[in-house]
């Protein structure tokens, strides 16, 4: 990881709530932003910010997330996902998260990611797969 990543670094990603990001179990009239998709969008935004500050051969993996999701955002609405670096502890980076649509704040939380050497992780996973007899 480079020294360019600092506490307070922030990024905002604007997304459109399309059909794949919505729930379907309440019918077409209630196609609203699904919480698992919100979580994925937070993780992607954090990873994208980190990618600007890591070395070749590095990436990051999520290690924890805690979010509230209190607003129903309708299919077709825009959402701003804002992530801000709150803590850096070695290779562990923790973000503050906020998501808002045009009407209200819909979510707030925290997410942590660990910066990894991809080849080292690849070997560790291959070793575990071999021990577990998983192809």
């Amino acid at each position: 990881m480079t020294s360019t990543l600092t506490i307070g670094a922030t990024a905002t990603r604007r997304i459109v709530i399309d059909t794949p990001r919505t729930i379907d179990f309440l019918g077409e009239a209630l196609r609203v932003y699904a919480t698992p998709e919100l979580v994925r969008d937070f993780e992607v935004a954090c990873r994208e910010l980190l990618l600007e500050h890591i070395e070749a051969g590095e990436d990051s993996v999520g290690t924890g997330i805690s979010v509230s999701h209190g607003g129903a955002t309708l299919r077709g609405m825009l959402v701003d996902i804002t992530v801000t670096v709150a803590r850096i502890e070695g290779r562990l980076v923790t973000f503050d998260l906020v998501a808002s649509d045009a009407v209200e704040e819909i979510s707030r939380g925290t997410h942590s990611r660990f910066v990894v050497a991809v080849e080292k992780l690849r070997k560790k996973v291959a070793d575990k797969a071999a021990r577990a007899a998983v192809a």
Side-chain angles (χ1 to χ4, degrees):
M1 188 165 61
T2 69
S3 61
T4 61
L5 184 67
T6 58
I7 293 172
T10 190
T12 298
R13 185 172 183 246
R14 178 166 280 178
I15 57 168
V16 176
I17 304 307
D18 55 7
T19 299
R21 282 189 166 91
T22 63
I23 62 172
D24 62 1
F25 55 86
L26 294 176
E28 289 302 308
L30 288 175
R31 283 277 194 167
V32 295
Y33 200 9
T35 302
E37 296 300 320
L38 169 67
V39 167
R40 183 184 60 81
D41 289 334
F42 275 136
E43 287 207 57
V44 168
C46 291
R47 179 177 176 263
E48 287 176 349
L49 188 145
L50 279 177
L51 287 174
E52 298 173 16
H53 301 278
I54 59 177
E55 305 284 347
E58 292 180 327
D59 209 316
S60 67
V61 294
T63 61
I65 192 159
S66 175
V67 297
S68 64
H69 188 188
T73 303
L74 306 169
R75 179 173 43 188
M77 291 181 77
L78 296 174
V79 171
D80 287 330
I81 301 282
T82 301
V83 300
T84 304
V85 175
R87 285 190 312 281
I88 303 169
E89 302 166 77
R91 292 180 161 274
L92 182 66
V93 181
T94 302
F95 298 85
D96 289 332
L97 314 170
V98 177
S100 300
D101 61 27
V103 176
E104 63 187 336
E105 181 179 294
I106 62 165
S107 181
R108 182 172 286 273
T110 60
H111 175 48
S112 56
R113 298 190 70 77
F114 195 83
V115 177
V116 297
V118 175
E119 285 307 313
K120 185 176 178 181
L121 179 60
R122 191 180 323 269
K123 181 181 180 336
K124 186 175 180 179
V125 169
D127 291 347
K128 184 171 185 175
R131 288 192 319 271
V134 175

